[in-house]
């Protein structure tokens, strides 16, 4: 991998670590710079849903990108597990979207038809089958759509696994006591500046999630238009298997974990860099559970937290080379950063390794801050 | 204080520590035995409301006991502060009961008349004055009753202060690694058994709150009929003074703290010794705040917790000597343990010092477990 030279990645979230792991697996020399803790922020705060179909907003290119990343997940996780010895708990056993009114039921029927045309494995469940599949749902449920190929990964485990996998592949993770800055001239990138001073690099990848717009040193006209979209969540201590699959109820989603923890998420708030858990955030989630799966509320609330998604004006990520030679963006993944980690890692590695940015064309908008 | 001899108190909650402080101040030799941490459990979990009138259930003798304890509070806190150097933050600046429907408004009018006849300082507030007094209340409020002599004490500070005050007065607080047992023969108490072995005592005071019924060694027929009544609470980080006074809204109460924290309590649950914070518990509290003071929900939820009140069948505490000579109960204070600490401490000390149990007559029922 001669063309690559040294790569610096700014941001040790799943996206940055995924890219570093991919590049290092292909032989590149990679340093990841992180101002905080590796694999924290949104990578830690998310629920790990792998749901390109359930999350679809009608953007066909996003749907295709998500579907492609989902199809890469098993192999990606296998490689991360093999390199790290840590199992990220990938579960592709389906996601249930439950309907509690006729309108939602009609929507789910339309989704099912569209997915069937696409060849996606899904099934409409009547009321009885829905309650048989997920007995925790309220008796008022009318039906559900089961998308069999979706699921979840334990994103906190995946984060720990990626840190270990990167280290196993020779990636250096630099925890900087100061903000990490891009160094560039008008034409090309020179390296990064951290608490260690200046370190040259042939490529600098900005993967700083919600903080990407404020990474120092990115020329203003190319700074990515990423803004934080706050999400609040909570965890309930349910018995293992009480909820069988990741389930959407009106106003919230429920994501199981192998240890029985059950994640409830998530609010969508335009609140700047505020990461507080608020009364209204918790109330929104608990009210949704009360409506959709009330028996869950008898379990202990063992954790509450919030995270910041990196949102963009058009809802699409910003992935690919900027006009500054060697300066590459990999940010703005919004609600889909965990899902899009494998495909982003592969595309950015291809782009650096082979100068191949073709696959990145839809994601190369200059939507700047 | 010759008659007293050595006193052992089982339970280092506010009641046990208050009794120990009172007795030690009068010259007795006192040991307090605690299986867990001193000044924790319900003494730590409560909100510290001092509200004999707002909490009244119509039991005139309870009202009189609460009013008497309230009147003793300033002098009690002065002595604790002087002995410990810790200010328990006593605020007797009134409690507001807000009405959101006509029925509640009529009730508050009747309360106001009854309190006026009793000479208790209170005031009915119309809608405008209510919102002027507490701008955090929902605009849907119809009016309120302000009971001027009520208020709150910071019970966690009072707990720390009482520990220090007890130590300053020479009380020994024994943290036992095992359950602390009463040792008695058929006629009289002999002492206590802890991880230190047997320690003789002339008097043993059982002040173990919700755990009082299961203190080993109490003859079965005299074991107090105390059962845990779970309460869940949460704290919001509001600016100092955002809520001015302790305020009742439908389904919850709001208690300020000098540091701006705002306590929201409390559920009432028959759940055994379960101290988990549950989804339904938090939802109940947050829904009440949403109805009564919705702007508070924008603040951060900084803490959630639960505690166990020592409930009794008739709602009255169990205070005073048992037929086993020297074995004294001071438990079953239910929702009023913090309020009743000064009067309980004084009555039990009088009972031990002077054999004077007259004031305790109403509280000497043999309601056993």
């Amino acid at each position: 991998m001669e063309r690559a030279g040294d790569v610096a990645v700014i941001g040790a979230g799943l996206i940055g670590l995924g890219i570093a792991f991919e590049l290092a697996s292909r032989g590149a020399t990679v340093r990841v710079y992180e101002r905080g803790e590796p694999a924290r922020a949104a990578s830690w705060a998310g629920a790990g849903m792998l749901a390109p179909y359930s999350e679809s907003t009608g953007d066909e290119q996003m749907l295709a990108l998500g579907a492609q990343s989902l199809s890469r997940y098993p192999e990606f996780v296998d490689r991360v597990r093999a390199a790290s010895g840590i199992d990220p708990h990938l579960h592709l056993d389906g996601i249930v979207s439950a309907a509690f009114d006729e309108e939602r039921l009609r929507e789910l029927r339309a989704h099912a038809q569209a997915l069937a045309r696409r060849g996606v494995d899904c099934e409409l469940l009547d009321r009885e089958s829905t309650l048989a599949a997920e007995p925790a749902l309220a008796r008022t449920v009318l039906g559900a759509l089961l998308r069999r190929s979706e699921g979840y990964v334990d994103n906190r485990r995946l984060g720990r696994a990626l840190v270990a996998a990167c280290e196993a592949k020779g990636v250096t993770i630099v925890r900087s006591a100061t903000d990490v800055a891009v160094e560039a001239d008008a034409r090309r990138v020179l390296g990064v500046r951290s608490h260690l001073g200046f370190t040259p690099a042939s490529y600098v990848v900005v993967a700083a999630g919600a903080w990407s717009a404020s990474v120092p040193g990115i020329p203003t006209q190319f700074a990515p238009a990423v803004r934080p979209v706050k999400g609040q969540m909570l965890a309930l201590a349910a018995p293992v298997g009480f909820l069988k699959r990741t389930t959407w109820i009106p106003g919230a989603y429920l994501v199981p974990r192998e240890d029985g923890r059950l994640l409830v998420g998530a609010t969508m708030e335009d609140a700047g860099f505020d990461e507080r858990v608020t009364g209204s955030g918790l109330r929104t989630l608990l009210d949704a559970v009360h409506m959709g799966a009330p028996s869950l509320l008898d379990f202990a609330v063992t954790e509450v937290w919030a995270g910041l998604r990196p949102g963009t004006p058009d809802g699409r990520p910003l992935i690919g080379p900027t006009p500054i030679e060697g300066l590459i963006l990999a940010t703005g993944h919004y609600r889909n950063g965990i899902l899009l980690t494998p495909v982003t890692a592969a595309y950015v590695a291809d782009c650096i390794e082979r100068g191949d940015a073709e696959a990145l064309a839809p994601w190369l908008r200059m939507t700047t801050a």
Side-chain angles (χ1 to χ4, degrees), chain A:
Chain A
M1 195 165 165
E2 267 165 65
R3 288 195 51 206
D6 270 18
V7 182
V9 178
I10 299 179
L14 292 182
I15 296 290
L17 292 168
I19 291 167
F21 174 65
E22 193 67 47
L23 282 166
S25 299
R26 300 185 190 186
T29 302
V30 190
R31 279 194 168 75
V32 183
Y33 294 82
E34 172 60 48
R35 193 185 48 178
E37 254 185 276
R40 292 285 298 196
S43 300
W44 177 91
M49 253 194 297
L50 304 176
Y53 309 113
S54 333
E55 285 271 8
S56 174
T57 59
D59 180 334
E60 282 293 322
Q61 283 186 299
M62 276 299 288
L63 185 59
L65 188 71
Q68 195 190 135
S69 203
L70 179 62
S71 71
R72 288 169 180 261
Y73 237 98
E75 181 265 347
F76 178 75
V77 159
D78 282 348
R79 287 194 291 130
V80 173
R81 191 196 294 109
S84 66
I86 297 171
D87 183 352
H89 292 180
L90 175 65
H91 289 260
L92 295 179
D93 53 356
I95 292 186
V96 172
S97 292
F100 288 81
D101 60 51
E102 288 295 337
E103 194 191 331
R104 182 66 180 145
L105 208 51
R106 279 192 296 276
E107 275 177 20
L108 293 180
R109 282 194 201 105
H111 284 196
Q113 285 166 5
L115 291 175
R117 280 194 297 273
R118 213 179 264 278
V120 175
D121 187 4
C122 67
E123 186 184 352
L124 275 167
L125 305 179
D126 63 13
R127 182 173 176 278
E128 232 165 86
S129 317
T130 302
L131 285 169
E134 289 299 350
L137 285 170
R139 313 294 300 170
T140 48
V141 73
L142 298 182
L145 174 59
L146 169 60
R147 300 169 182 90
R148 291 194 192 279
S149 57
E150 296 187 324
Y152 76 87
V153 67
D154 185 331
N155 45 297
R156 295 187 187 174
R157 293 184 67 94
L158 179 59
R160 291 197 296 275
L162 268 172
V163 168
C166 279
E167 284 166 350
K169 295 286 182 191
V171 172
T172 306
I173 299 178
V174 180
R175 290 187 56 177
S176 180
T178 59
D179 276 359
V180 181
V182 175
E183 293 266 334
D185 61 23
R187 206 182 55 79
R188 64 159 293 120
V189 88
L190 305 170
V192 298
R193 185 166 294 279
S194 68
H195 75 300
L196 302 172
F198 174 71
T199 310
S202 307
Y203 296 89
V204 176
V205 181
V206 175
W211 291 265
S212 296
S214 52
V215 170
I218 305 179
T220 315
Q221 66 272 35
F222 307 126
V226 173
R227 76 196 148 77
V229 181
K230 177 177 171 181
Q232 300 190 45
M233 294 193 57
L234 61 88
L236 297 164
V240 176
F242 194 89
L243 192 83
K244 296 178 197 333
R245 293 185 175 94
T246 299
T247 301
W248 290 87
I249 56 174
Y253 53 73
L254 313 168
V255 186
R257 286 290 184 259
E258 284 189 18
D259 60 4
R261 287 195 321 137
L262 212 152
L263 312 189
V264 182
T267 63
M268 298 272 284
E269 296 165 77
D270 183 5
F273 288 94
D274 170 12
E275 293 183 75
R276 298 172 310 144
V277 172
T278 63
S280 54
L282 293 185
R283 182 173 171 268
T284 300
L285 300 175
L286 293 169
D287 275 2
V289 177
H290 176 72
M291 204 287 275
S295 58
L296 295 180
L297 292 185
D298 292 337
F299 297 118
V301 176
T302 51
E303 195 186 346
V304 300
W305 68 98
L308 302 175
R309 310 173 186 90
T312 58
D314 60 4
R316 291 183 170 191
L318 293 155
I319 316 173
T322 66
I324 302 288
E325 203 186 317
L327 180 62
I328 294 169
L329 302 182
T331 183
H333 290 79
Y334 193 34
R335 293 171 63 94
N336 298 297
I338 297 163
L339 170 64
L340 296 176
T341 292
V343 80
T344 302
Y347 281 9
V348 170
D350 289 351
C351 174
I352 289 175
E353 189 185 18
R354 307 197 290 258
D356 175 10
E358 202 183 322
L360 295 172
W363 322 111
L364 287 172
R365 296 100 55 233
M366 280 300 103
T367 50
T368 55

